[in-house]
Amino acid sequence: MTQQVPSTEPELAGVRNFRDVGGLPTVDGRRVRHGLVFRSGHLAHATEEDAAFLASLDLHTIFDFRNAADQKLEGPDVELPGVRNVNLPLSDPADGAEFWKMVRDGDLDQLRAILADGKGANRMIASYRMIIKERTAEHSQVLHALADDSVPVLMHCAAGKDRAGLSIAVTLLALGVERDAILDDYLKSNAKHRRYRVRRSSTSPSAYSPEVMELLSPLFDARAEYLTAAFETIEETWGGVDTYLEKGLGVTQEVRERLRERLLD
């Protein structure tokens, strides 16, 4: 029997990893309100039906965290009427362009050199740590926008896993969502129907061999160690979430209260 996908997570033909983060519990017993905060992969390949569904959400703002290299590779998002589109790259304009070309074109020796022996996972951990430490202005902009007027909101990057995952995590931390619930939501990106489709330029069978796919897996997995590294970076750099939000992001207690009033049941 085919499992029915709930209405809050429709099967979108051209958009991966879409979901509503509503329902997640806070430490003080409240829950994130449904229909206000959505996350997904990029919208460049959205079908007409996908676009119609997204338009039905009455989105105020879409935050696209992709950089110029991502947008060149995948294309711009589809335009949705009446929606404010904000491109807020969480990595440098061309960051990863050569790396991803190597992933798409690379032979086994190249992939082994850059990804084997834990190098792939270490690259991801370093990226998560960097985004937390260096992209404070961007995360501040997101939280202030949500506190002011920018909901319902959709946050996405390329796969909807890493940059969007961190921005969603920061938002949920500001709302006081339980840490385990944030991690559980993050790990949902591993579901087969949500995962980013690896597009490799090589058509040879070896391009999709078990060893190649194993080498690539750290890049396309959502792993607890990645998000944990982000949380640890907050603790190590600011001493805790409250100081991170106030000193790192300039999010005052008053702004947090407005966020909570707007986004929590």
Side-chain angles (χ1 to χ4, degrees), residues 14-262:
V15 180
R16 307 290 282 183
N17 207 7
F18 175 89
R19 60 188 180 276
D20 182 346
V21 301
L24 297 183
T26 65
V27 294
D28 61 353
R30 301 175 71 181
R31 289 189 179 272
V32 178
R33 193 170 297 158
H34 285 281
L36 292 183
V37 182
F38 302 94
R39 58 181 294 174
S40 75
H42 70 78
L43 310 183
H45 303 152
T47 65
E48 287 187 15
E49 291 79 9
D50 296 341
F53 169 78
L54 293 169
S56 76
L57 301 176
D58 295 323
L59 296 170
H60 180 288
T61 298
I62 294 173
F63 284 110
D64 179 357
F65 302 118
R66 296 179 298 162
N67 62 30
D70 297 318
Q71 293 186 337
K72 183 178 180 180
L73 177 66
E74 295 145 352
D77 283 346
V78 297
E79 291 288 333
L80 299 176
V83 178
R84 182 175 71 127
N85 292 279
V86 180
N87 181 223
L88 205 61
L90 288 181
S91 49
D92 292 332
D95 183 48
E98 289 302 314
F99 174 79
W100 286 107
K101 185 177 188 303
M102 197 180 301
V103 169
R104 295 196 312 276
D105 303 345
D107 60 26
L108 192 53
D109 288 340
Q110 286 180 307
L111 293 174
R112 283 176 180 151
I114 60 176
L115 298 175
D117 302 319
K119 288 193 285 287
N122 289 338
R123 181 187 180 92
M124 296 300 295
I125 289 170
S127 173
Y128 275 54
R129 288 184 175 276
M130 180 278 293
I131 289 173
I132 288 295
K133 289 183 73 171
E134 298 184 11
R135 300 296 171 173
T136 51
E138 290 85 348
H139 286 141
S140 174
Q141 182 177 334
V142 169
L143 292 183
H144 281 93
L146 298 182
D148 290 342
D149 61 6
S150 299
V151 292
V153 66
L154 171 63
M155 302 187 203
H156 80 79
C157 50
K161 171 179 73 77
D162 303 313
R163 289 163 291 185
L166 281 173
S167 295
I168 288 288
V170 168
T171 301
L172 297 176
L173 286 174
L175 293 172
V177 172
E178 294 177 1
R179 196 73 60 94
D180 287 348
I182 297 174
L183 181 59
D184 287 346
D185 173 71
Y186 167 77
L187 292 174
K188 286 180 180 180
S189 292
N190 285 325
K192 186 176 180 181
H193 70 284
R194 296 191 179 107
R195 290 175 71 92
Y196 186 76
R197 288 194 176 98
V198 182
R199 289 182 170 83
R200 302 205 66 219
S201 57
S202 174
T203 57
S204 71
S206 63
Y208 294 91
S209 71
E211 183 179 358
V212 167
M213 301 314 290
E214 180 66 24
L215 286 166
L216 292 175
S217 67
L219 309 181
F220 299 103
D221 290 348
R223 297 187 179 182
E225 64 192 281
Y226 300 166
L227 193 59
T228 298
F231 292 153
E232 288 173 350
T233 301
I234 290 173
E235 299 293 331
E236 293 161 5
T237 307
W238 289 277
V241 170
D242 291 343
T243 306
Y244 163 65
L245 290 167
E246 186 157 356
K247 304 296 186 184
L249 306 188
V251 174
T252 64
Q253 193 60 41
E254 186 269 335
V255 172
R256 289 181 73 179
E257 283 305 314
R258 282 195 284 127
L259 274 170
R260 288 167 60 81
E261 288 172 14
R262 190 178 288 275

